[in-house]
Amino acid sequence: MIQTRRPPEVDRAAASRRAVAARRERAALKKDVAMRVLSPQELLRRAGEHPDTPAGAMRVTEYLTALPAIGEGKRDRILAELGIAPVKRLGGLGPRQRVALSRWLDERFPEPSPRAGRSRLVVLAGPTAVGKGTVAAHVKEHHPEILLSVSATTRVPRPGEVNGEHYFFVDDAEFDRLIASGELLEWATVHNAHRYGTPKAPIEKALAEGRTVLLEIDLQGARQVRAAAPDAALVFLLPPSWDELVHRLVGRGTEGEEERARRLRTAKTELASQGEFDYLVVNDDVARAAAEVAALAR
Ligand code: 5GP
């Protein structure tokens, strides 16, 4: 009798666990691309550099349909146009196919590119809960040469917050006066609750002295700075992954289903604005992200 050799039970169990883990990782990568936490170009680069990872093992078909606004019909036309067989995996593309695909991506999903002649005014923005405040605080602590702008706000101080250091805590009448007298570079109502604004004078003084100024403000504020000071450098802070942002946003899940859904919708809209920015920085590690922001600022 011929005996077929089967792998021992434990090996098969381990292989199946690995397959499940790889599939889960591919699903997470596709979600990151769909939510714009990861650029399609970056995923393609990772796949090329490491073909034996889940990025490399992803089929071009599943990769393309993960991109915003690409359905199956469009996907098949694109593959035919680029001369790529649907069975191909990202890590197995030939050099010419890789170039053709990245050209197509650059046209369709342009990555931010540093602009020449920008000023020393740096704006740090990003989706809610991405950790802008922590990164900005790290820059302040380790780069005293950079001025971290202190905003005015109508919200009340939290325990430990010092007036003039964390914020200028003002009442509504004073905030109205700041707006009317043109003393704010930008201002916005954040989270439908309180008003926040950037005092102009300290920034102008620091810039005149040749210092770099960092503003940590919300997206509405960043847009106003772009309009008022077009040569400012706009930095968008990204979470390391969509799952991580969800985790930071809804945490232990103490809020109701409706509030949870609202926060996720907001995050998705906020992430979609990254194309308006000059630089993307991933907050995978606070010290590393802060060092990157400080280097841009110099
Ligand atoms: P928090 O109340 O937690 O300190 O800040 C809430 C939000 O207000 C943060 O997203 C922060 O970026 C934003 N923020 C703080 N200062 C300003 C500011 O001067 N202008 C604008 N537009 N947003 C600000």
Side-chain angles (χ1 to χ4, degrees), residues 33-256:
V33 169
M35 294 303 190
R36 301 175 194 262
V37 164
L38 178 65
S39 79
Q41 287 92 329
E42 176 59 24
L43 180 53
L44 181 62
R45 281 192 288 271
R46 284 190 203 170
E49 283 162 21
H50 309 284
D52 49 355
T53 58
M58 191 179 292
R59 292 204 189 268
V60 283
T61 44
E62 53 174 341
Y63 170 73
L64 284 178
T65 44
L67 303 183
I70 308 274
E72 292 185 1
K74 216 182 242 178
R75 169 198 73 193
D76 294 342
R77 281 198 299 281
I78 295 160
L79 287 176
E81 195 182 299
L82 300 176
I84 300 174
V87 292
K88 278 275 183 185
R89 293 178 188 273
L90 276 191
L93 294 174
R96 247 182 313 185
Q97 292 175 321
R98 189 173 302 284
V99 169
L101 182 53
S102 40
R103 281 214 187 111
W104 179 85
L105 292 167
D106 287 345
E107 233 166 71
R108 180 105 195 197
F109 306 98
E111 288 183 297
S113 57
R115 295 168 314 127
R118 59 187 167 75
S119 75
R120 291 181 156 274
L121 181 57
V122 180
V123 175
L124 182 64
T128 313
V130 74
K132 290 174 299 211
T134 320
V135 170
H138 201 279
V139 171
K140 180 180 171 179
E141 194 183 332
H142 294 88
H143 299 272
E145 75 282 7
I146 297 173
L147 173 75
L148 178 61
S149 159
V150 179
S151 300
T153 181
T154 57
R155 88 151 158 77
V156 295
R158 296 188 188 124
E161 283 184 333
V162 177
N163 188 35
E165 189 182 324
H166 297 96
Y167 282 106
F168 294 106
F169 297 99
V170 301
D171 59 15
D172 271 312
E174 172 62 7
F175 205 94
D176 287 341
R177 194 197 63 76
L178 290 173
I179 298 172
S181 60
E183 288 175 50
L184 300 179
L185 174 64
E186 60 74 38
W187 70 271
T189 302
V190 180
H191 301 321
N192 296 322
H194 303 288
R195 291 185 290 174
Y196 296 80
T198 305
K200 225 187 254 175
I203 294 179
E204 285 172 348
K205 179 167 174 287
L207 290 175
E209 289 167 356
R211 287 180 76 187
T212 292
V213 179
L214 181 64
L215 309 186
E216 184 259 292
I217 57 178
D218 84 326
L219 287 169
Q220 314 168 67
R223 292 193 176 111
Q224 291 177 47
V225 173
R226 161 109 313 156
D231 55 355
L234 265 55
V235 183
F236 192 89
L237 196 62
L238 282 170
S241 70
W242 170 254
D243 284 348
E244 179 58 32
L245 185 66
V246 171
H247 181 72
R248 292 181 198 174
L249 266 174
V250 296
R252 289 151 300 160
T254 42
E255 54 294 288

